[in-house]
Amino acid sequence: MAGLLGLRGAGRSLVAARALPAASGPCPARGCGEAAALRAMGFSREQARRLLALQPRLGLEHREAAAAQLLLLGLSAEAALALLEQSPALLRLPTVRLRERAQELRRLGLDGGRLRRAVSRCPQLFHVPRKRLETAVRLLRERCLFTAEQLREVLRTCPTVLLEEPRTLHHQFQYAYFRMGVQQKEMVKARLFQMPFAELRNRHIFLERRGLYVTPHKGQTQTSNPKLKDILQVPEKDFLASLAYSTPEEYEVFKKLLAREEKKEEEGVDALYTEDDDDDDLESDESKTAWE
């Protein structure tokens, strides 16, 4: 009897065990297949695991296609993975879109190492509409008059220019060209577009008001002004110590006063437009009265 009871107990345990879900092992069949596919592309086991953790609901074909396109750009497996971790939305872009955008960037002169660095610094290049890219490039070539080689260097060092509003880009160029007297060659060397316009203007006007920068006359090429790269390519503390000969406290006060000046100027312009509108209304009323 005891033996019979033991057999019945074992049977119940076996049935219960079968009813339980299988314990998830270290490598489920589907996960192993995906990892194997990524391993075949050159990703290590750890890199494949990290890649599979991105957008977990996404199908394997999307993951493989995105990774393959980045590898075709010349990125290493680690660089491609880092880019996807930085911008996981790339995994959802159609393969055709990734391929076409890479071809567009190559046509702009971003090939080989330049292209790798550009997309690594600015993965948004794959998302921005083509029209925005074309507008930015046309502005830099036709209105800012950068040569083809200068444009390639601008895009290599500061690919985010392709994401900027054309009006903002043109305004920054015009300020450097007309207000500071800087030519295109020096702008490229100084990486003009890496610095926000507000900071460029702050540094320039601060030097100007301290008598350390004078706008060159038209046609003048030789000046004692500091080079643009020396103004832009240094941290603020070095700019103040070695170029402006000032303290951080003085610079902070200056920026607040300059912001106040700009606000008053804007208010003055707004008031002027308002007065013009009132005059127009008055003239319209007088004309209407005279006509009647």
Side-chain angles (χ1 to χ4, degrees):
M1 179 66 69
L4 182 59
L5 290 174
L7 288 173
R8 289 177 178 173
R12 284 194 297 269
S13 299
L14 181 59
V15 171
R18 288 176 178 171
L20 291 174
S24 57
C27 181
R30 180 173 178 271
C32 278
E34 291 181 343
L38 294 173
R39 292 289 302 280
M41 296 170 64
F43 291 93
S44 69
R45 189 183 302 277
E46 173 60 21
Q47 289 169 341
R49 184 194 64 77
R50 287 161 54 192
L51 186 49
L52 290 172
L54 299 173
Q55 304 280 344
R57 296 183 179 180
L58 202 63
L60 175 59
E61 63 280 1
H62 286 85
R63 211 179 299 275
E64 284 185 344
Q69 286 302 314
L70 295 179
L71 294 176
L72 287 174
L73 293 181
L75 272 68
S76 65
E78 182 59 33
L81 175 59
L83 184 61
L84 291 172
E85 288 178 329
Q86 179 185 352
S87 184
L90 289 177
L91 289 169
R92 295 190 174 275
L93 283 181
T95 306
V96 175
R97 171 75 176 276
L98 286 171
R99 188 184 304 118
E100 288 179 349
R101 181 50 50 84
Q103 291 172 352
E104 290 167 9
L105 294 173
R106 286 193 183 97
R107 281 196 294 270
L108 295 177
L110 290 174
D111 50 6
R114 287 175 173 172
L115 181 58
R116 290 196 299 271
R117 285 187 289 271
V119 298
S120 295
R121 291 177 181 175
C122 187
Q124 296 91 337
L125 289 176
F126 286 109
H127 298 284
V128 67
R130 179 192 295 178
K131 188 175 181 181
R132 172 70 67 83
L133 292 180
E134 293 172 346
T135 301
V137 170
R138 190 164 57 250
L139 171 74
L140 292 169
R141 283 301 311 274
E142 298 176 5
R143 303 190 67 182
C144 301
L145 300 180
F146 287 106
T147 67
E149 181 56 36
Q150 288 171 343
L151 175 62
R152 283 194 291 269
E153 187 63 15
V154 168
L155 297 182
R156 182 188 72 82
T157 57
C158 189
T160 53
V161 295
L162 296 174
L163 310 180
E164 293 287 350
E165 289 289 342
R167 182 180 299 179
T168 302
L169 275 182
H170 197 214
H171 185 52
Q172 187 157 348
F173 167 80
Q174 287 182 313
Y175 187 90
Y177 189 84
F178 293 108
R179 194 68 174 75
M180 300 179 71
V182 178
Q183 298 297 310
Q184 287 88 338
K185 184 177 180 180
E186 188 178 351
M187 293 181 200
V188 174
K189 188 181 296 184
R191 301 180 181 179
L192 169 69
F193 298 107
Q194 282 189 351
M195 175 168 283
F197 173 69
E199 182 58 21
L200 164 69
R201 187 169 182 271
N202 284 341
R203 292 191 182 193
H204 167 244
I205 295 178
F206 191 57
L207 290 173
E208 193 176 49
R209 294 190 181 181
R210 293 179 68 81
L212 299 171
Y213 200 104
V214 179
T215 301
H217 296 294
K218 187 175 182 180
Q220 183 180 1
T221 57
Q222 298 296 325
T223 68
S224 58
N225 289 331
K227 298 292 185 183
L228 183 63
K229 66 181 181 63
D230 295 329
I231 298 174
L232 303 186
Q233 292 184 6
V234 293
E236 184 179 289
K237 63 176 183 178
D238 296 332
F239 162 75
L240 294 172
S242 62
L243 213 59
Y245 308 111
S246 184
T247 64
E249 291 76 17
E250 288 177 319
Y251 191 48
E252 286 303 314
V253 170
F254 160 77
K255 286 191 287 187
K256 291 178 181 177
L257 292 174
L258 184 62
R260 196 175 300 170
E261 288 178 18
E262 291 175 346
K263 185 176 181 181
K264 287 183 179 179
E265 289 176 3
E266 291 174 359
E267 290 174 350
V269 170
D270 291 342
L272 179 62
Y273 279 122
T274 302
E275 290 175 3
D276 289 343
D277 291 342
D278 291 342
D279 291 342
D280 291 342
D281 293 341
L282 181 60
E283 291 174 2
S284 176
D285 291 341
E286 289 175 349
S287 300
K288 182 177 179 181
T289 303
W291 177 259
E292 292 174 346

